Amino acid sequence: MEPRVRFNARIEGVEYDLLDELIGYAVRRAQLSIYEDFAATMEADEITPQRFSSLVIVENNPGISQSRLAEVMGIARSGVVAIIDGFEKAGLMERRASGDRRSYSLLLTQAGTRLLKRYKRAVKEHDERISAGLTLTEKAQLRRLLSKLGTA
Amino acid sequence: MEPRVRFNARIEGVEYDLLDELIGYAVRRAQLSIYEDFAATMEADEITPQRFSSLVIVENNPGISQSRLAEVMGIARSGVVAIIDGFEKAGLMERRASGDRRSYSLLLTQAGTRLLKRYKRAVKEHDERISAGLTLTEKAQLRRLLSKLGTA
DNA sequence: TATTGTTATACTCTATAACTATA
DNA sequence: TATAGTTATAGAGTATAACAATA
C-alpha cells in the first residue's frame, strides 16, 4: 500500500534555495501544513475550510445572497450553487425568498446553527493547536503582518 | 460578460466573526491574495507556484528522483509524472538514467536553466510587490512566525 | 518483499459561457 | 440592459489502486 501523502515543510538534505527567501513560499508552506491539520481534525465531517467559512459568513450575515457570498469567498457564482445545494440537502441552510425575486436570502437552519457550533469548537481547537508554538503577542503580530500582504 | 473572479480579503459591510480571529484563516486570506498576484504576474507563462517550485528544487538538487520530488512537494508520485512530462516536452527538464534502474535522475536542460532564471526574476519581483508593505525586519519576523505554525 | 515510475480512474474545485427570470 | 441564480461543460489538481521492472 501507498503511504498517505503528507506535506513536510522542510525535508532533510534538500536545498530550497530561493524558496527559503520568498514570503510567498513561506505562506504557502504554512498553509499546506495548516490544511493538513484541518483535514485531519475534521476528517469525520464533510467540511472543508471553504465550506466552514461559508457557514460562518451566512450565520453572521443572515439573508446574504449567493452572489454576495461568492464575492466574499472569491469564487464564481456557479460554485456557490453547488455549495448551497449540499448544505440545503443536509438541512443546514435554507434559501428563503428575498424582496428581489431574482435572489435568495441565505439562512442557517436550527440544525445548521447547532452543527456550526460544534464545528467552531473543533476549528478553534485546531487553530490553537497549529499556532501552539506562538505566544498571544506573536499571534497578534502574525495576523497583523499577514494582513499587510497582497497587492496594495 | 461575467466579471473576472477576484478574491478580496475583506469585503466592506460583511461580518467575518470567528474568521477574523483564526490564524488559519489569516494565512488562507494572505495565500489567496498572493496567489492572485502570482497568477497575474506569470499570466503569459505556463507556470504555477507548484511548477515553479519543482524547477527550483531540481535546479538545486540535481539528480533528484521523482519520488523524492513528490515527497518535497507533498503530492503523490503519480502527480509528479505529469509535471515532469510537461517539462520534458517543453525541453526544460531531462530524465537521465541513475545508478538504480528503477529511477531517474532529474536535471534541468540548458533551456530550463535559462528560463528558470527569468522566472526567478519575475517571482522575486512579485514577492517584493506583495510584501512591499513590510520592512525587511518585518519580513524576517513574518518568516520566523510562519515557520512555527503547523502541528509540532 | 519493497521501491520506482507509470497508467487508469475518479473526485473535487473552479472557471466560462449560455440560459431564464426577473429588475 | 443588467443582475441573480442555474446548468452544462471543461480543465486543473489531486488521490488511490494496480502493474511492470528492478532492487
Side-chain angles (χ1 to χ4, degrees):
Chain A
M1 239 257 287
E2 195 81 28
R4 206 183 153 338
V5 174
R6 271 192 52 75
F7 176 71
N8 189 330
R10 197 165 267 111
I11 306 258
E12 192 67 31
V14 171
E15 287 300 321
Y16 288 86
D17 184 55
L18 173 62
L19 301 182
D20 274 334
E21 295 161 32
L22 297 173
I23 294 292
Y25 194 72
V27 172
R28 184 179 154 79
R29 254 183 180 135
Q31 215 272 320
L32 288 170
S33 294
I34 292 169
Y35 177 74
E36 291 226 338
D37 190 89
F38 184 99
T41 302
M42 309 306 272
E43 200 176 18
D45 304 283
E46 286 193 350
I47 193 81
T48 59
Q50 180 84 271
R51 279 198 265 270
F52 174 72
S53 303
S54 302
L55 290 174
V56 174
I57 295 295
V58 171
E59 183 184 47
N60 290 279
N61 302 270
I64 194 173
S65 71
Q66 294 186 189
S67 290
R68 182 79 162 159
L69 182 58
E71 195 190 351
V72 176
M73 311 296 294
I75 63 175
R77 288 175 301 146
S78 57
V80 170
V81 174
I83 294 176
I84 308 299
D85 281 355
F87 283 143
E88 213 173 40
K89 197 171 300 181
L92 306 178
M93 215 179 265
E94 187 191 344
R95 284 175 165 108
R96 194 174 295 179
S98 74
D100 187 332
R101 280 163 63 198
R102 287 172 304 182
S103 72
Y104 293 119
S105 279
L106 299 178
L107 293 166
L108 292 193
T109 61
Q110 261 203 332
T113 307
R114 212 175 317 125
L115 187 59
L116 178 54
K117 204 165 173 180
R118 185 159 72 70
Y119 285 167
K120 277 172 152 180
R121 260 200 304 273
V123 170
K124 270 187 211 165
E125 275 178 34
H126 143 77
D127 206 70
E128 277 162 23
R129 192 180 323 121
I130 58 110
S131 61
L134 305 183
T135 65
L136 268 181
T137 311
E138 284 177 322
K139 286 189 204 179
Q141 203 165 38
L142 177 54
R143 265 194 298 268
R144 188 182 65 82
L145 295 173
L146 284 171
S147 74
K148 286 181 157 186
L149 293 181
T151 311
Chain B
M1 236 255 289
E2 196 81 30
R4 207 186 152 332
V5 174
R6 270 191 52 77
F7 176 71
N8 189 330
R10 197 166 269 110
I11 307 258
E12 191 69 29
V14 170
E15 288 300 321
Y16 288 85
D17 183 55
L18 173 62
L19 301 182
D20 274 334
E21 296 161 31
L22 298 173
I23 294 293
Y25 195 73
V27 172
R28 183 180 155 80
R29 254 186 180 131
Q31 215 272 319
L32 289 169
S33 294
I34 293 169
Y35 177 74
E36 290 226 338
D37 191 90
F38 184 99
T41 304
M42 310 305 272
E43 200 175 18
D45 303 284
E46 287 192 349
I47 193 80
T48 60
Q50 181 84 274
R51 280 199 264 271
F52 174 73
S53 302
S54 302
L55 290 173
V56 173
I57 294 295
V58 171
E59 184 185 45
N60 291 278
N61 302 271
I64 193 173
S65 70
Q66 293 185 190
S67 289
R68 181 82 161 157
L69 183 58
E71 195 190 350
V72 175
M73 310 297 293
I75 62 174
R77 289 175 299 146
S78 56
V80 170
V81 174
I83 295 176
I84 308 301
D85 282 355
F87 283 142
E88 212 173 42
K89 199 171 297 181
L92 306 179
M93 216 179 264
E94 186 192 343
R95 284 176 165 107
R96 194 175 293 180
S98 72
D100 186 333
R101 282 163 64 199
R102 287 172 304 184
S103 73
Y104 293 119
S105 279
L106 298 178
L107 292 166
L108 292 193
T109 61
Q110 261 202 333
T113 306
R114 211 176 318 123
L115 187 59
L116 179 54
K117 204 166 174 176
R118 185 159 72 69
Y119 284 167
K120 276 172 154 181
R121 261 200 305 271
V123 170
K124 269 187 213 166
E125 275 177 34
H126 143 76
D127 205 71
E128 277 161 25
R129 192 180 324 119
I130 58 110
S131 61
L134 306 184
T135 64
L136 267 182
T137 311
E138 286 177 321
K139 287 188 202 179
Q141 204 166 38
L142 177 54
R143 265 194 298 269
R144 187 182 67 81
L145 294 173
L146 284 172
S147 74
K148 286 181 158 188
L149 292 182
T151 311

